[in-house]
Amino acid sequence: MSDGQWSPSTGQIVVSGLTKEYKNVRAVDNLSFTVEPGRVTGFLGPNGAGKTTTLRMLLNLVTPTSGTATIGGRRYADLTDPLRHVGAVLEASSAHKGRTGINHLRVICAAAGLPKQRADEALALVGLTPAAKRKFKGYSLGMKQRLGIAAAMLGDPRVLILDEPANGLDPEGIRWMRGFLKGLAHEGRTILVSSHLLSEMQLLADDVVIIAAGQLVRQGPVEQVIGSMAQGQRVRVRTPNAEELTTALKAQSATVAVDEHGVLQVDGVDAPTVGRTALAAGVELHELTTERPDLERVFLELTAGKAGIR
Ligand SMILES: Nc1ncnc2c1ncn2[C@@H]1O[C@H](COP(=O)(O)OP(=O)(O)OP(=O)(O)O)[C@@H](O)[C@H]1O
Ligand SMILES: [Mg+2]
């Protein structure tokens, strides 16, 4: 990097004891977590949990009541040439309406002392080159989101912070975003992205930070967070001999429930045990599936009762 204050290992984000109190609410409450370079970290929490406030404190747009947030060991306010280090997409559709996409980016380049050709490169990076000369007011929501990402990428930053970037994107746009962000993480960049789309987060994120009511609920690799849930795997069984199998499974101290389609939901034993039990009982099986809990189920369990809106 140009001013030599960064080494390749310093794209880590560290949030430590961060608190923001507004008049009527403690929006962020003694929050601590870390975000590692080379990974996509999903920042999750119910509405009003404090995600945007945290991201805004990271970017020096909101002053913390107490605690610190650093990027590569420095507070954002202490970075010289911050756009070269940290890209941020906090909300789409903030551009001069009559300006073309390319001109919007060129204005930012000029203001930040970045070479003009970065505007063309960033536009190409997000696939917007065909719309370069169209006016911003004619951009679709998804195109505005892409332009916001292009603006964040102008300084070729090592760290990218995005607040709900998938809002308004169509399935193709979401898939594009996933590939784009994963690619950036693969290059060693730090990607912190908030989202409500839990199924998408499960595909996108390597790590998650889950907050509720301003406080940390859980952080870690997605697989580990999902695996840590008390209620583990469940086995789904379809059989024409449900009663017989239920009796046999209960004798193995399994818990068996039947859903509205007559499918058995078996807890407490694994699929091989169910298969062996069925075989021993001479019961025919039409389906035997292990269902892992997904991020959505884990999120809802972890944040249950911690209402986001305060
Ligand atoms: N400028 C402000 N003045 C007063 N209260 C605020 C301000 N900004 C945020 N809050 C409050 O802080 C809490 C956290 O809000 P925040 O926007 O950080 O949540 P969020 O996790 O981003 O929610 P969402 O998922 O809905 O975007 C909310 O109760 C909100 O009303
Ligand atoms: Mg928000």
Side-chain angles (χ1 to χ4, degrees), residues 104-260:
H104 170 66
L105 298 182
R106 283 180 183 153
V107 167
I108 299 173
C109 283
L114 296 166
K116 199 173 136 193
Q117 96 258 11
R118 275 304 296 162
D120 302 271
E121 289 167 10
L123 214 57
L125 206 57
V126 301
L128 265 187
T129 305
K133 292 185 177 152
R134 281 166 59 185
K135 288 197 172 132
F136 181 77
K137 66 182 173 199
Y139 274 21
S140 71
L141 187 53
M143 289 161 78
K144 288 175 183 168
Q145 289 281 28
R146 288 187 193 225
L147 188 66
I149 293 171
M153 292 304 295
L154 285 172
D156 194 20
R158 192 184 298 291
V159 176
L160 196 58
I161 294 171
L162 308 105
D163 198 9
E164 311 275 354
N167 272 359
L169 291 186
D170 61 13
E172 167 55 29
I174 288 176
R175 197 174 57 168
W176 167 80
M177 171 91 65
R178 188 190 312 147
F180 181 72
L181 296 180
K182 276 176 177 282
L184 293 176
H186 197 68
E187 292 168 10
R189 296 180 215 250
T190 310
I191 313 295
L192 176 61
V193 46
S194 83
S195 179
H196 291 115
L197 306 178
L198 296 171
S199 53
E200 173 55 24
M201 271 294 150
Q202 193 163 356
L203 296 175
L204 171 63
D206 302 299
D207 298 327
V208 286
V209 172
I210 302 177
I211 67 168
Q215 300 177 333
L216 184 71
V217 172
R218 197 65 66 93
Q219 79 162 313
V222 176
E223 290 307 312
Q224 203 172 303
V225 167
I226 292 175
S228 71
M229 293 304 292
Q231 194 184 18
Q233 298 183 347
R234 167 174 289 178
V235 183
R236 193 184 140 84
V237 191
R238 222 180 258 277
T239 171
N241 314 107
E243 258 177 57
E244 246 177 297
L245 184 60
T246 300
T247 307
L249 285 169
K250 284 186 173 164
Q252 306 267 345
S253 55
T255 311
V256 185
V258 187
D259 76 7
E260 68 272 26

Side-chain angles (χ1 to χ4, degrees), residues 46-53 55 163-164 194 196:
N47 289 130
K51 303 179 296 295
T52 298
T53 306
L55 298 182
D163 198 9
E164 311 275 354
S194 83
H196 291 115

Side-chain angles (χ1 to χ4, degrees), residues 238-302:
R238 222 180 258 277
T239 171
N241 314 107
E243 258 177 57
E244 246 177 297
L245 184 60
T246 300
T247 307
L249 285 169
K250 284 186 173 164
Q252 306 267 345
S253 55
T255 311
V256 185
V258 187
D259 76 7
E260 68 272 26
H261 307 294
V263 177
L264 304 188
Q265 313 280 352
V266 185
D267 290 309
V269 292
D270 60 7
T273 305
V274 175
R276 267 195 308 275
T277 306
L279 184 65
V283 164
E284 190 179 324
L285 293 186
H286 293 177
E287 185 188 331
L288 178 61
T289 323
T290 302
E291 280 184 347
R292 305 198 54 227
D294 60 7
L295 189 56
E296 179 169 276
R297 199 170 115 199
V298 169
F299 175 86
L300 291 173
E301 258 177 64
L302 286 173

